[in-house]
């Protein structure tokens, strides 16, 4: 599963784990990615989106139609 949000574009960040002895090793900060299905009334079908938790809250606020318009404006296929 790709850790990219279709709405916000959130993707993994990278950094270092720092041990007690202060050795540094690579680590990855993944966004909280979920798969969620929404009913899209304008097209009469379900859409399955890969979203971060923050994007799910955004869809609750702005609505699925506006969210799909934003996703398509980013050039992502829905």
């Amino acid at each position: 599963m790709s850790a990219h949000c279709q709405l916000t574009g959130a993707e993994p960040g990278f950094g270092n784990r720092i041990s007690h002895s202060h050795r540094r090793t690579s680590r990855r900060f993944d966004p909280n990615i979920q798969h969620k299905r929404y009913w899209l009334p304008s097209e009469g079908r379900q859409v399955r989106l890969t979203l971060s938790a923050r994007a799910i809250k955004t869809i609750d606020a702005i609505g699925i139609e506006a969210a799909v318009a934003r996703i398509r404006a980013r050039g992502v296929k829905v």
Side-chain angles (χ1 to χ4, degrees):
M1 173 171 79
S2 176
H4 287 46
C5 174
Q6 288 180 304
L7 180 61
T8 63
E11 55 189 19
F14 294 89
N16 290 308
R17 272 189 190 86
I18 302 180
S19 70
H20 181 68
S21 64
H22 224 66
R23 280 184 172 262
R24 292 161 189 251
T25 55
S26 293
R27 66 157 295 177
R28 201 172 130 137
F29 296 92
D30 284 328
N32 185 4
I33 298 293
Q34 309 291 325
H35 292 296
K36 195 145 168 65
R37 281 189 338 172
Y38 288 97
W39 175 252
L40 198 56
S42 63
E43 297 181 16
R45 68 183 183 106
Q46 299 262 343
V47 290
R48 187 166 184 251
L49 302 174
T50 304
L51 302 167
S52 64
R54 187 179 75 189
I56 292 171
K57 293 173 190 173
T58 301
I59 290 176
D60 290 343
I62 67 172
I64 186 63
E65 296 289 343
V68 167
R70 283 189 193 179
I71 291 170
R72 287 184 173 145
R74 291 184 68 238
V76 179
K77 184 176 177 234
V78 177

